[in-house]
């Protein structure tokens, strides 16, 4: 089977073709758009038969990266090294770059992949004031559906008083971020959040329980919820889509039938699906707590970054029922350490960000953004 992943805008002029084996999914990243056409969304990634004449892009061969530079990882799959602890990752429309957040510093950096020579230094796009205590700080990024026209970036941040979603304009250098959704409860933990767009005008916000599971069950609290924000602007209102969220992992939409959310509870880590009926259904659970984090979705599956299990989990969903009936396979296990963010780059690889500095066993190159190619054989389980 082959999966053809299309950019969310301008798909007629640019398609990324990915070869995968049955039981492995390659997925579109959350909030990633192509700015070469005005239409905000196009057909979501779908499975296609193997006789479509497609090919599998591969991570480029090792290049002449200078070993004398301490922050240039010799692994050709690494986009950038020596970051602070990451907190969010989203691919940019040009196909070869992404924005990565640093959770503790509040910086948003543009990083660029290169196939030859020394990679360019990260460029600081914005820096936000955040409270990084506990698991708070700058924990999620999303692009406006019309990013090519407006240059707007949305971020989920922790402040001294609350968790909130803010908006940054790349055309207004030095401009203050505009608060979009404020007053999300803050606690000693459970402050992490997620953002994605389901339609051009509907933003999804996943909030943690702020260390208080009872708040997640309270319909009057924004803690521990999946929220829907229509036409997100300053002072926007939010409607509750799902409740009972523990420590938030990520939210990602296929822009058609499915919204996927991940979270961690005291008894299990979960992958849930919200269909057109608005009902949250548990698609898969892990009682061994692999540390579900950011996700990326297609019409027939989802990829989930795992921190504790140090891998990327690929869950295949039935194309008709959307049920996940087989255990998610693992990709790049133990290769880069703890993974947190996941997005699909325009080069056909899944891009992921590591979080080894705070909780893992960092090496001289951590933390990093890496490109993980789709499996070309086998079932994708175990280290590659």
């Amino acid at each position: 089977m082959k999966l053809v992943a299309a950019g969310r805008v301008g798909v007629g002029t640019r398609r990324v073709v990915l070869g995968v084996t049955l039981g492995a999914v390659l997925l579109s990243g959350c909030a990633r758009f192509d700015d070469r056409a005005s239409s905000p969304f196009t057909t979501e990634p779908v499975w296609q038969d193997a006789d479509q004449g497609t090919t599998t892009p591969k991570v480029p061969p090792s290049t002449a990266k200078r070993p004398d530079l301490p922050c240039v990882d010799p692994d050709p799959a690494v986009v950038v090294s020596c970051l602070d602890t990451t907190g969010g990752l989203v691919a940019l429309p040009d196909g070869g770059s992404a924005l990565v957040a640093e959770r503790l510093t509040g910086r948003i950096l543009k990083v660029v992949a290169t196939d030859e020579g020394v990679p360019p230094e990260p460029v600081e796009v914005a820096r936000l004031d955040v409270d990084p205590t506990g698991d708070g700080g700058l924990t999620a990024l999303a692009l406006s559906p019309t990013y090519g026209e407006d240059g707007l970036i949305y971020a989920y941040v922790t402040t001294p008083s609350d968790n909130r979603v803010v908006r940054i304009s790349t055309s207004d250098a030095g401009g203050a971020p505009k608060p979009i959704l404020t007053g999300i409860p803050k606690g000693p933990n459970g402050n992490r959040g997620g953002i994605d767009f389901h339609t051009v005008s509907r933003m999804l916000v996943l909030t943690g329980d702020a260390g208080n599971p009872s708040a997640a069950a309270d319909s009057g609290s924004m803690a521990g919820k999946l929220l829907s924000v229509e036409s997100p602007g300053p002072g926007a209102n939010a409607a509750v889509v799902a409740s009972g969220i523990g420590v938030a992992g990520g939210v990602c939409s296929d822009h058609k039938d499915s919204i996927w959310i991940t979270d961690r509870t005291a008894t299990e880590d979960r992958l849930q699906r919200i269909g057109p009926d608005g009902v949250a259904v548990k698609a898969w659970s892990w009682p061994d707590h692999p540390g579900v984090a950011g996700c990326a979705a297609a019409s027939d599956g989802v990829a989930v970054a795992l921190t504790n299990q140090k891998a990327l989990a690929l869950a295949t969903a039935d194309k008709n029922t959307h049920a996940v009936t087989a255990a998610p396979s693992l990709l790049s296990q133990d290769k880069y350490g703890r993974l947190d963010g996941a997005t699909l780059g325009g080069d056909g690889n899944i891009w992921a960000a590591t979080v080894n500095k705070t909780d893992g066993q960092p090496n001289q190159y951590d933390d990093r953004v890496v490109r993980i190619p789709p499996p070309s054989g086998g079932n994708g389980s175990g280290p590659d």
Side-chain angles (χ1 to χ4, degrees), residues 160-344:
S161 60
D162 66 357
N163 291 294
R164 60 178 58 188
V165 177
V166 299
R167 190 178 71 194
I168 307 110
S169 173
T170 57
S171 61
D172 182 17
K178 289 182 169 53
I180 302 300
L181 183 64
T182 62
I184 301 168
K186 174 189 175 184
N189 53 56
N191 296 301
R192 176 192 173 102
I195 319 172
D196 193 15
F197 279 85
H198 187 53
T199 69
V200 66
S201 62
R202 184 188 181 197
M203 182 174 69
L204 302 168
V205 180
L206 185 68
T207 71
D209 64 6
N212 182 5
S214 63
D218 181 357
S219 61
S221 172
M222 286 192 289
K225 306 292 191 297
L226 177 65
L227 304 172
S228 176
V229 181
E230 298 291 339
S231 303
N237 294 317
V240 174
V241 178
S243 302
I245 304 300
V247 175
V251 55
C252 46
S253 167
D254 69 0
H255 309 290
K256 185 181 179 182
D257 299 313
S258 302
I259 298 166
W260 301 90
I261 57 177
T262 64
D263 73 323
R264 312 173 193 179
T265 71
T267 58
E268 62 187 5
D269 288 4
R270 301 182 296 186
L271 170 65
Q272 297 185 80
R273 175 184 176 265
I274 295 93
D277 59 3
V279 177
V281 176
K282 185 162 62 175
W284 200 260
S285 63
W286 295 265
D288 56 342
H289 298 287
V292 297
C295 63
S299 62
D300 48 2
V302 61
V304 180
L306 304 179
T307 54
N308 297 337
Q309 205 161 359
K310 303 176 183 177
L312 190 73
L314 301 179
T316 303
D318 182 271
K319 64 181 180 180
N320 296 315
T321 66
H322 304 284
V324 176
T325 58
S329 56
L330 299 181
L331 197 62
S332 290
Q333 187 172 25
D334 296 323
K335 189 169 184 178
Y336 299 109
R338 299 164 65 87
L339 301 182
D340 186 80
T343 188
L344 178 62

Side-chain angles (χ1 to χ4, degrees), residues 5-180:
R8 297 183 180 173
V9 179
V11 65
T13 60
R14 180 172 179 271
R15 298 179 70 85
V16 180
V17 182
L18 304 174
V20 296
T21 56
L22 183 63
V25 184
L26 189 62
L27 313 107
S28 68
C30 296
R32 178 180 56 264
F33 307 93
D34 187 330
D35 61 352
R36 290 172 295 176
S38 57
S39 176
F41 296 115
T42 55
T43 304
E44 74 289 341
V46 294
W47 287 105
Q48 287 194 353
D49 291 336
D51 60 0
Q52 293 290 317
T54 58
T55 58
T56 303
K58 300 181 184 300
V59 171
S62 182
T63 58
K65 295 181 179 179
R66 288 167 48 190
D68 58 309
L69 297 177
C71 283
V72 178
D73 194 310
D75 186 336
V78 173
V79 177
V80 65
S81 306
C82 299
L83 299 176
D84 208 293
T85 300
T86 64
L89 179 68
V90 59
L92 287 170
D94 59 19
S97 64
L99 297 179
V100 59
E102 290 184 336
R103 180 174 70 83
L104 305 180
T105 68
R107 295 197 304 165
I108 301 174
L109 304 170
K110 179 180 179 180
V111 298
V112 180
T114 181
D115 294 346
E116 297 180 359
V118 178
E121 289 291 319
V123 175
E124 184 174 308
V125 174
R127 185 189 294 256
L128 306 177
D129 291 329
V130 299
D131 179 359
T133 56
D135 59 352
L138 172 53
T139 58
L141 295 174
L143 302 184
S144 160
T146 51
Y147 176 79
E149 302 168 10
D150 55 37
L152 296 178
I153 304 168
Y154 293 81
Y156 193 99
V157 300
T158 308
T159 76
S161 60
D162 66 357
N163 291 294
R164 60 178 58 188
V165 177
V166 299
R167 190 178 71 194
I168 307 110
S169 173
T170 57
S171 61
D172 182 17
K178 289 182 169 53
I180 302 300

